[in-house]
């Protein structure tokens, strides 16, 4: 393992850290939309917001698919992505998308738009059982979609900053938090009061935000104490380089601090919108920066130890 | 069945990158695409400064992460240990590229084949006869010149290296050149802590 | 039945392999070229049957295909229609037929020939085709306007001619155990057959444990691979060498037997610097046994009795053995004194000298091919960086002296002369001279014009009787023709296979004025270059995969002809260089004279049946055929099949071919030639004779400082330039494969300074600077490296192109050579060697100057590589 401090060398022929540029902005967009959509769906589901569920499914099904296809080298063949669920998180994710989207749409249509009633199954045990199953599948796979992106990013040991168990946790916490924020904006009446075991949506959002902050802090700390490549990537976020302003300004201030402050204040339409803008900006920037600051380690060093 | 690997002799390598150009020739690589690179590492403080030249290429890992993460099964390992890409199956998702700790994968973007080696969209006859092997959008990498190896030849980079710094052969044969070098001069693989079990070794 | 899938790797596709010779630099590594059944060249490899490069090729050789298929290649003759000329001016080329092209060129050349043949200024430097290079001799013209070979070899070649009667030198990689490189990359990156020598040297290092030491201001490839890098202040290598000699002389570490027996070191030198001779012209030595002066060939005086030191009286004159004269000089060159000049610690100099002498195993012998030869496996090699200075002759002599001390000249393991082109196998380069010494042969590239005033050459070659060519003096004369008494002004340029606008030293702007003063410029080339921009007519030639040649170019350890044969039919409407020159000669009425020039230059008089006959034009194939027959009596078909006739160097020609004769330890010519030249100048009333640097002529190297060290102190850094294997000895930056690796290489992408120097100058890595020398200015971006002497600014040649009409050549901040002095004061009066180091000062800028902001800069390419943005451009 390299213990010297190597420079970041881009694509030059010097030995050093090389930027990850294979998963570019399209991929970041796809991941963001996938996580966000599933998170919106889950939050909307918990607070009974139909519009939220619909928006969530659409974001995942349409936007994520679009961005994946625009990143994919051979989009005509993208159906092959589902072929290796035994090994590949991409395959697992692709399959999960299918199940999530299908079940979510079914649930919305059957349970929320009244198709079950129209089919005359609303009161039957079969109808209730079907609805329960569909809703279970939708929720479970929504959670899988929320979390699998993080697993995919963290899967290999190649990019040290990504190689942490906290990555899927951050995916989940960020997407759930954003989902709550989107839902409370789309549907101001949803979650105004407690629903079932869920507290009022603003409280839930605050709790989710705190968890997100903790996970993020833990991830940064793990990077700080981790492999040299992780520390190097962290430096690009915190210390110097073209991404520092975006990290502090958008991810931290707009995406975490501003919502935190506003969630404490009495809620209003304006503050909700501000929270939404800040959160989406912060989350999108975070997802993009994770891709941009990913570094490959220097392959092998022969400098004499001294 | 052989188990092919390579040894880089760091004492010999002069960093000329003839290997890089030979590989580009042999494989009709588009502009800016490298299946192998020879890096340089500067160290020390004047006047005790030094520089080492370090050849790199796909390590054809025994435990290849690129193969594990490939969702379509395009990346596979031959019986003789060469890790290959079946570009008829590749969807160009680049998961292999972010999974490779050594960054030895290249995505062959469509624009590369349109721009040409000289830019300006002027595609030379050499490129025309060569580019037909590629599917734009797929990800590719060094394959130890598998076709040449199947014909009993060494990889192009090995053949051209002016200082014989690249040594290719069967790692399972104790009398092969790479096996002997690894034994006699203590070959070590790059980043063993990544647990991919590379079949490329470095000797000093 | 299984179908055979078509191969995708180029070397395996259906086609055939043709043996040929590389042309990506001036040397001649053997190649095999694969051409598909469809006629596309898709792989070039080294020829494994050629014992020179053993199947290896450097990156340039590997990139030959991209020269051949370069879409910017000139596809037919072109005529300029825009009379305005300049580096960024569109010539508005009009394609014309060969007939019309020949008509125009012949007409314009004829005007000059009829008026005054001296008005033609050629730049036809073609090492692989001396028959083309020497075309101007067909009309008695010895002007020259190209600088390939003068910055690196202006003094190097004449000195090799004096000491070895050879063109170049190399350390003997077959036996050497202690290999010193001073200002050269032999065996690692540069000079003689780079890929081949790298192979020999790598084996020597790894299999035999050969130790390498590199002296140079920069951590070059050679320095990086060596066991020891000795950083040195630029333009002080001669002083380091004299310091080494001091140690060996004062500590008695020399091969005294060699000095006594095989050199003129014991010859007695009189007060005027010439040898002491008797009435018959025979030279005296001092016999220590009889304590009397004897003639050098006195059979009763054993070699071991000859004095090397002392002061004696002979025929009323005080005299000393030449060795004593040398000792008088180096006694004062203590390592401590030399350290003040070189910054090399005195202790290092002492240690290296002792290690070197010990490794030389003085007294040891080895049996090779039935001869018992001295074995001296320690050698001091040097080339451009070390030798390219104002006092070039003395500098090269000092390096020779390090080798003389241990007796390794042309000896197994030592510093061996390398001939350029032996022409026929049994040709022995050694010619006996007077008084038992070998005949000095400084004019390795052909005879020089005799003294004449007014001069018959525009670059004053008439006053460099020992020299090579000082082409930079064309500019000196252009600026002040009256001063030099030049009574003609060249106004027609014939340029072929060279790019003087990229290579010459002195500010580009002044050379542009020089070009504008020409009435007619014809350029023969393959791709657009800095020089083709100025042509009135361009005649496109075949490239090296479309033409014939037979050549042997200074291979260090092998000898023999290498065939270049066409692999495909010419892609475009081009002609071979031979066709062009002979057609023009015919139209100019000088064909017979040209054929005779080819005969002489190629050595065909040795086998008269090969002589070119008058009245006929000969093709490149016919000349190649003759050169092959001349070498080993084998016909062209044999060469077509075998590709080459290369064998290891014959040991009787390579090791001590002068056995029984004496080498020029002391170069008496350096006393007699200037005396003679001065007298002639006096008699002819040459107006600049008192400004001539007569002190440059020295029979032994001295510790005089090169004038570059005396520039005003505001110029506080030494500017040096360098290349390395991707870009040396040829143009390769127009090649996309070379561009891919060069602009990603840390040494080729910035003006390099030691980090402490950077700090002292108040600069940071990435700052834009203006670099000023007393002569010119360039711009660039600085970077730091610990591998740089604190006094030096390192400028890679990769940063010296001017934007021309070629897609891949990007403008950098100006050509380093703009900074170099080109005046007589910085030229070696002995050889014409120009100074290749300059003093510079840096000024930080906030931004690039306006002209550089337009268009693509090299630094833009570098930045793009440092920060890849797109998938696939990784």
């Amino acid at each position: 393992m390299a213990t010297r401090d190597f420079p970041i060398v881009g694509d030059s022929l010097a030995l050093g850290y090389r930027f990850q540029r294979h998963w570019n902005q399209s991929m970041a967009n796809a991941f963001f939309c996938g996580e966000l959509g599933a998170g919106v769906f889950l939050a909307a589901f918990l607070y009974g917001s139909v519009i939220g569920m619909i928006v969530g499914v659409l974001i995942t099904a349409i936007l994520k698919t679009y961005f994946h296809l625009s990143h994919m080298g051979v989009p005509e063949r993208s159906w092959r992505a589902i072929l290796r669920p035994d090994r590949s998180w991409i395959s697992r994710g692709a399959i999960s998308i299918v199940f999530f989207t299908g079940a979510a749409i079914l649930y919305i249509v059957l349970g929320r738009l009244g198709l079950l009633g129209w089919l005359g199954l609303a009161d039957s045990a079969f109808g209730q059982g079907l609805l329960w199953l569909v809703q279970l599948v939708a929720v479970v796979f929504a959670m899988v979609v929320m979390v699998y992106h993080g697993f995919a990013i963290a899967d290999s040991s190649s990019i040290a900053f990504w190689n942490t168990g906290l990555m899927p946790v951050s995916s989940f916490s960020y997407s759930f938090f954003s989902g709550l924020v989107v839902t409370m904006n789309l549907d101001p009446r949803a979650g105004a009061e407690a629903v079932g075991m869920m507290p009022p949506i603003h409280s839930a959002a605050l709790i989710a935000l705190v968890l997100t902050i903790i996970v993020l802090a833990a991830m940064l700390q793990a990077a700080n104490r981790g492999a040299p490549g992780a520390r190097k990537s962290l430096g690009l976020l915190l210390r110097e380089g073209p991404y520092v302003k975006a990290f502090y300004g958008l991810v931290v201030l707009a995406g975490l601090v501003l919502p935190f402050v506003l969630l404490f204040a009495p809620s209003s339409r304006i503050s909700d919108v501000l929270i939404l803008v800040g959160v989406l900006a912060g989350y999108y920037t975070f997802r993009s920066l994770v891709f941009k600051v990913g570094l490959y380690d220097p392959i092998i060093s022969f400098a004499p130890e001294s | 069945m052989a188990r092919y690997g390579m040894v880089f002799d760091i004492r010999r390598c002069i960093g000329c990158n003839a290997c890089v150009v030979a590989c580009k020739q042999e494989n009709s690589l588009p502009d800016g695409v490298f299946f192998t690179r020879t890096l340089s590492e500067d160290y020390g403080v004047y006047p005790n400064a030094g520089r080492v030249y370090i050849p790199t290429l796909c390590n054809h890992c025994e435990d290849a992460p690129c193969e594990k993460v490939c969702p379509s099964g395009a990346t596979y390992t031959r019986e003789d240990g060469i890790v290959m890409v079946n570009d008829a199956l590749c969807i160009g998702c680049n998961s292999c590229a972010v999974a490779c700790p050594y960054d030895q994968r290249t995505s062959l973007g469509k624009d590369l084949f349109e721009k040409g080696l000289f830019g300006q969209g002027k595609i030379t006859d050499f490129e025309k006869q060569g580019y037909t092997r590629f599917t734009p959008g797929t990800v590719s990498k060094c394959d130890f010149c598998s076709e040449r190896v199947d014909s009993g030849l060494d990889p192009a980079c090995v053949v051209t290296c002016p200082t014989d710094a690249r040594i290719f052969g069967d790692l399972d044969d104790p009398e092969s050149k790479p096996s002997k070098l690894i034994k006699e001069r203590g070959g070590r693989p790059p980043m063993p802590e990544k647990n991919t079990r590379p079949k490329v070794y470095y000797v000093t | 039945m299984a179908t055979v899938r078509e191969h995708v790797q180029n070397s395996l596709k259906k086609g055939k392999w043709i043996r040929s010779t590389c042309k990506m630099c001036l040397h001649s590594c053997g190649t095999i070229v694969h051409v598909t059944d469809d006629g596309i060249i898709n792989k070039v490899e080294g020829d494994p049957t050629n014992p020179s490069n053993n199947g290896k090729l450097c990156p340039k050789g590997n990139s030959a295909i991209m020269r051949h298929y370069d879409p910017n290649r000139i596809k037919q003759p072109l005529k300029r229609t825009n009379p305005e000329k300049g580096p960024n001016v569109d010539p508005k080329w009009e394609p014309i037929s060969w007939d019309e092209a020949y008509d125009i060129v012949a007409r314009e050349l004829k005007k000059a020939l009829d008026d005054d043949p001296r008005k033609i200024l050629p730049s036809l430097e073609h090492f692989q085709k001396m028959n083309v290079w020497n075309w101007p001799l067909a009309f008695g013209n010895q002007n020259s306007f190209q600088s390939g070979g003068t910055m690196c070899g202006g003094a190097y070649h004449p000195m090799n001619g004096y000491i070895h009667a050879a063109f170049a030198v190399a350390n003997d990689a077959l036996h050497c155990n202690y290999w010193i490189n001073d200002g050269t990359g032999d065996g690692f990156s540069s000079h003689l057959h780079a890929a081949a020598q790298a192979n020999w040297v790598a084996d020597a290092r790894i299999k035999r444990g050969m130790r390498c030491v590199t002296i140079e201001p920069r951590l070059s490839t050679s320095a990086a691979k060596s066991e020891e890098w000795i950083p040195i202040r630029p333009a002080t290598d001669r002083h380091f060498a004299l310091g080494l000699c001091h140690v060996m002389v004062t500590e008695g570490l020399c091969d005294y037997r060699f000095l006594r027996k095989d050199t003129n070191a014991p010859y007695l030198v009189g007060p005027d610097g010439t040898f002491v001779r008797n009435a018959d012209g025979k030279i005296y030595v001092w016999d220590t046994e009889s304590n009397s002066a004897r003639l050098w060939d006195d059979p009763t005086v054993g070699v071991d009795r000859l004095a090397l030191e002392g002061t004696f009286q002979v025929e009323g004159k005080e005299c000393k053995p030449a060795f004593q004269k040398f000792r008088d000089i180096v006694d004062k060159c203590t390592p401590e004194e030399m350290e003040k000049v070189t910054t090399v610690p005195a202790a290092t100099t002492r240690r290296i000298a002792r290690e070197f002498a010990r490794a030389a195993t003085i007294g040891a012998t080895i049996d090779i091919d039935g001869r018992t030869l001295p074995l001296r496996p320690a050698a001091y090699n040097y080339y451009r960086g070390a030798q390219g200075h104002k006092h070039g002759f003395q500098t090269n002599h000092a390096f020779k002296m390090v080798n003389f001390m241990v007796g390794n000249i042309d000896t197994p393991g030592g510093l061996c002369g390398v001939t350029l082109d032996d022409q026929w196998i049994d040709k022995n380069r050694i010619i006996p001279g007077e008084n038992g010494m070998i005949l000095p042969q400084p004019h390795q590239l052909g005879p020089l014009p005799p003294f004449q005033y007014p001069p018959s050459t525009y670059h004053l070659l008439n006053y460099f009787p020992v020299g090579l060519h000082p082409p930079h003096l064309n500019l000196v004369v252009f600026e002040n023709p009256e001063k030099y008494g030049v009574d003609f002004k060249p106004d027609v340029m014939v340029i072929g296979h060279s790019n003087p606008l990229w290579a010459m030293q002195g500010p580009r702007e002044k050379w542009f004025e020089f070009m504008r003063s020409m009435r007619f410029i014809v350029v023969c080339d393959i791709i657009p270059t800095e020089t083709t921009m100025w042509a009135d007519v361009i005649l496109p030639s075949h490239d090296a995969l479309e033409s014939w040649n037979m050549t042997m170019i200074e291979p260090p350890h092998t000898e023999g002809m290498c065939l270049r044969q066409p692999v495909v039919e010419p892609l475009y409407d081009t002609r071979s260089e031979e066709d062009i020159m002979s057609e023009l000669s015919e139209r100019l009425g000088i064909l017979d004279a040209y054929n005779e020039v080819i005969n002489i230059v190629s050595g065909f008089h040795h086998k008269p049946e090969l002589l070119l006959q008058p009245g006929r034009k000969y093709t490149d194939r016919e000349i190649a055929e003759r050169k092959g027959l001349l070498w080993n009596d084998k016909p062209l078909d044999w060469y077509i099949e075998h590709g080459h006739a290369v064998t290891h160097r014959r040991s009787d020609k390579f090791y001590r071919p002068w056995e029984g004769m004496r080498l020029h330890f002391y170069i008496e010519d350096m006393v007699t030639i200037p005396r003679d030249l001065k007298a002639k100048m006096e008699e002819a009333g040459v107006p600049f004779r008192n400004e001539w640097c007569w002190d440059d002529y020295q029979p032994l190297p001295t510790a005089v400082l090169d004038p570059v060290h005396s520039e005003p102190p505001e110029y506080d850094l030494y500017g040096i330039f360098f290349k390395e294997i991707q870009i040396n000895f040829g143009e390769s930056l127009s090649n996309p494969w070379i561009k891919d690796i060069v602009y990603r290489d840390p040494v080729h992408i910035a003006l390099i300074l030691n980090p402490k120097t950077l700090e002292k100058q108040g600069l940071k890595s990435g700052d834009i600077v203006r670099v000023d020398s007393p002569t010119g200015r360039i711009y660039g971006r600085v970077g730091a490296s610990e591998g740089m002497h604190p006094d030096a600014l390192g400028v890679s040649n990769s940063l010296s192109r001017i934007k021309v009409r070629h897609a891949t050549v990007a403008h950098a901040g100006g050509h380093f050579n703009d900074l170099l002095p080109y005046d007589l004061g910085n030229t070696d009066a002995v050889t014409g060697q120009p100074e290749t180091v300059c003093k510079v000062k840096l000024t930080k800028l906030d931004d690039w100057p306006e002209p550089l902001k337009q268009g693509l800069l090299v630094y833009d390419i570098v930045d793009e590589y440092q920060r890849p943005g797109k998938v696939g451009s990784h």
Side-chain angles (χ1 to χ4, degrees), chain A residues 4 77 156 158 296 301-302, chain B residues 41 87 90 97-99 103 194:
Chain A
R4 299 199 305 132
R77 295 190 194 151
S156 140
S158 58
Y296 294 96
S301 168
F302 290 97
Chain B
E41 177 184 12
D87 81 339
C90 175
V98 298
D103 191 22
K194 300 284 185 183

Side-chain angles (χ1 to χ4, degrees), chain C residues 671-716:
Chain C
V671 177
T672 55
I673 285 178
R675 203 170 52 190
D676 179 59
L677 179 61
K678 214 176 196 176
K680 288 194 173 116
M681 279 195 177
E682 196 66 49
E683 195 190 320
V686 172
F688 50 90
R689 63 189 181 279
N690 295 322
E691 295 164 49
W692 209 249
C693 302
W694 299 109
D695 285 343
D696 288 358
Y697 284 92
Q698 295 289 335
L700 290 167
T702 72
V704 63
L705 284 174
D706 288 301
V708 67
H709 298 287
S710 315
E711 298 287 11
E714 66 186 279
Y715 300 99
D716 52 349

Side-chain angles (χ1 to χ4, degrees), chain C residues 733-773:
Chain C
L733 282 170
S734 59
N735 192 305
W737 286 335
I738 298 295
K739 182 173 125 287
D740 253 358
I741 59 178
V742 166
Y743 290 129
R744 287 184 169 83
D745 187 331
V747 308
H748 290 306
I749 60 175
L751 307 181
I752 304 176
L753 289 167
N754 184 290
K756 291 212 173 61
T757 306
L758 205 61
E759 205 185 305
K760 246 178 49 187
Q761 296 269 336
L763 296 168
K764 282 186 334 291
S765 202
D767 281 347
I768 298 170
V769 296
R770 194 183 72 220
V771 182
D772 286 289
S773 79

Side-chain angles (χ1 to χ4, degrees), chain B residues 9-18 20-22 24-29 31-34 37 40 42 44-47 49-51 53 94 103 106-107 109 111-112 117-118 120 122 124-126 129-130 133 143 145-148 151 153 156 158-164 185, chain C residues 5 7-13 40-45 55-59 62-63 65-66 69-72 188 195 198-199 202-203 205-207 219-221 224-225 227 229 231 725-726 734 736-737 740-741 744 746-747 754 786-790 806-808 870-872 874:
Chain B
D9 187 342
I10 297 302
R11 281 202 69 206
R12 285 179 175 263
C13 178
I14 52 174
C16 70
N17 277 287
V20 173
V21 184
K24 282 170 179 275
Q25 269 200 88
E26 183 69 57
N27 296 302
S28 310
L29 299 184
D31 192 37
V33 172
F34 294 82
R37 293 179 182 84
S40 64
D42 282 278
V45 175
Y46 180 88
R51 185 183 306 122
Y53 299 104
N94 279 270
D103 191 22
T106 307
S107 179
D111 59 319
L112 292 175
L117 285 169
F118 285 88
Q120 310 171 313
K122 292 183 194 163
T124 63
D125 284 345
F126 169 84
Q129 63 87 46
R133 71 176 286 193
D143 72 339
C145 280
S146 58
E147 278 192 344
R148 284 179 62 101
S151 305
L153 301 169
V158 172
V159 162
T160 205
C161 176
T163 55
D164 291 316
R185 289 175 51 190
Chain C
R5 178 170 169 259
H7 286 294
V8 299
Q9 295 213 284
N10 286 333
S11 57
L12 298 172
K13 289 178 183 165
I40 308 295
I41 302 175
N42 67 355
K43 187 83 200 291
V44 175
E45 296 183 10
K56 312 299 176 185
L57 271 191
C58 78
N62 268 289
S63 69
I65 295 178
M66 278 307 119
Y69 288 117
D70 187 336
N72 298 279
F188 300 99
N199 194 239
D203 277 351
R205 290 174 56 233
I206 308 307
K207 293 185 183 163
L219 186 70
S220 60
T221 307
K225 303 306 294 181
E227 276 63 44
W229 169 45
I725 198 169
Q726 306 96 328
S734 59
W737 286 335
D740 253 358
I741 59 178
R744 287 184 169 83
V747 308
N754 184 290
E786 297 286 352
M788 185 61 73
H789 192 282
H806 188 292
T808 49
K870 296 193 308 243
V871 169
H874 213 285

Side-chain angles (χ1 to χ4, degrees), chain A residues 269-289:
Chain A
R269 196 81 188 110
I270 298 170
S271 69
D272 277 358
V273 169
L274 281 175
I275 293 170
L276 175 71
V277 169
V279 166
L280 286 183
Y283 180 23
Y284 180 66
T285 306
F286 172 74
R287 175 54 66 235
S288 304
L289 288 183

Side-chain angles (χ1 to χ4, degrees), chain C residues 74-360:
Chain C
I74 305 167
K75 303 178 175 61
Q76 66 206 111
L78 298 172
K79 182 175 82 171
R80 173 187 216 93
T81 60
N82 181 358
E84 194 196 329
K85 289 185 179 179
N88 290 313
V89 171
D90 181 359
K92 301 204 172 89
W93 301 118
E94 181 194 303
I96 55 177
S97 69
W98 276 97
D99 256 330
E100 188 183 342
Y102 279 136
D103 277 344
I104 298 171
V105 175
R107 181 187 70 219
E108 298 304 327
L109 288 183
K110 186 129 181 57
K111 268 191 223 157
L113 266 186
D114 288 346
D115 181 3
D116 180 347
R118 297 174 304 172
K119 290 178 113 172
I120 296 179
L121 190 53
S123 171
L124 289 168
E125 180 171 6
H126 203 328
F127 267 101
Q128 285 201 9
K129 293 194 184 202
M130 303 292 267
N131 47 306
V132 169
W133 185 343
N134 285 288
W135 173 77
L137 291 178
F139 47 94
N141 180 312
Q142 285 186 285
N143 285 333
S144 170
F145 167 56
Q146 94 296 320
S147 67
T150 46
M151 282 194 234
C152 52
Y156 173 81
H157 296 303
M159 179 57 69
N160 292 333
Y162 264 100
I163 306 300
H164 309 262
F167 186 71
V169 280
N171 290 354
D172 178 15
L174 295 175
H175 300 100
C176 189
N177 292 329
Y178 196 96
W179 175 299
I180 299 185
N181 265 349
D182 185 352
T184 177
D186 272 287
F188 300 99
S189 62
S190 335
H191 201 203
L192 302 173
H193 295 251
Q197 235 197 8
N199 194 239
W200 298 89
V201 167
D203 277 351
R205 290 174 56 233
I206 308 307
K207 293 185 183 163
R208 210 167 60 236
M210 179 173 83
R211 182 181 174 85
C212 294
V213 174
T214 297
I215 299 124
E216 87 137 273
R218 180 182 74 91
L219 186 70
S220 60
T221 307
S222 176
K225 303 306 294 181
S226 294
E227 276 63 44
E228 187 168 352
W229 169 45
I230 299 177
I232 190 169
R233 175 180 284 151
T236 64
D237 307 82
R238 168 162 43 92
H239 299 79
F240 176 73
L242 290 173
L244 290 180
C245 291
H246 169 97
V247 176
M248 288 190 272
V249 164
T250 54
E251 295 184 14
L253 302 175
C254 308
D255 186 346
Y256 296 103
R257 179 132 229 278
F258 164 77
L259 291 166
R260 288 189 168 98
K261 173 171 148 312
D262 297 319
T263 80
N264 62 12
Y267 284 16
L268 294 174
V269 177
D272 70 346
T274 60
F275 292 126
V276 180
R277 290 175 165 79
N278 70 3
D280 298 322
K282 292 188 98 173
I283 296 176
Y284 282 108
V285 294
W286 192 265
D287 173 21
T288 53
E289 206 175 280
S290 67
N291 213 24
S292 61
R294 298 295 184 91
L295 295 176
W296 71 270
D297 58 352
D298 187 332
T300 67
V301 179
V303 139
D304 297 309
R305 287 157 54 167
L306 299 180
L308 286 177
E309 300 184 26
T311 309
F312 311 103
Q313 290 282 336
V314 178
E315 294 189 358
K317 284 187 267 195
E318 183 179 279
C319 57
K320 301 177 180 184
F323 185 81
Q324 178 66 57
K325 303 281 292 182
F326 184 59
R327 175 142 198 177
D328 290 344
I329 295 170
V330 296
D331 269 346
K332 302 198 203 80
C333 298
T334 66
E336 288 71 19
E337 278 305 304
M338 297 298 97
E339 179 177 351
K340 293 179 192 160
V341 176
T342 65
T343 74
V344 176
T348 304
T349 304
R350 287 185 197 285
R351 178 173 52 79
I352 297 293
R354 290 168 191 157
E355 284 176 7
F356 182 72
R358 187 167 50 239

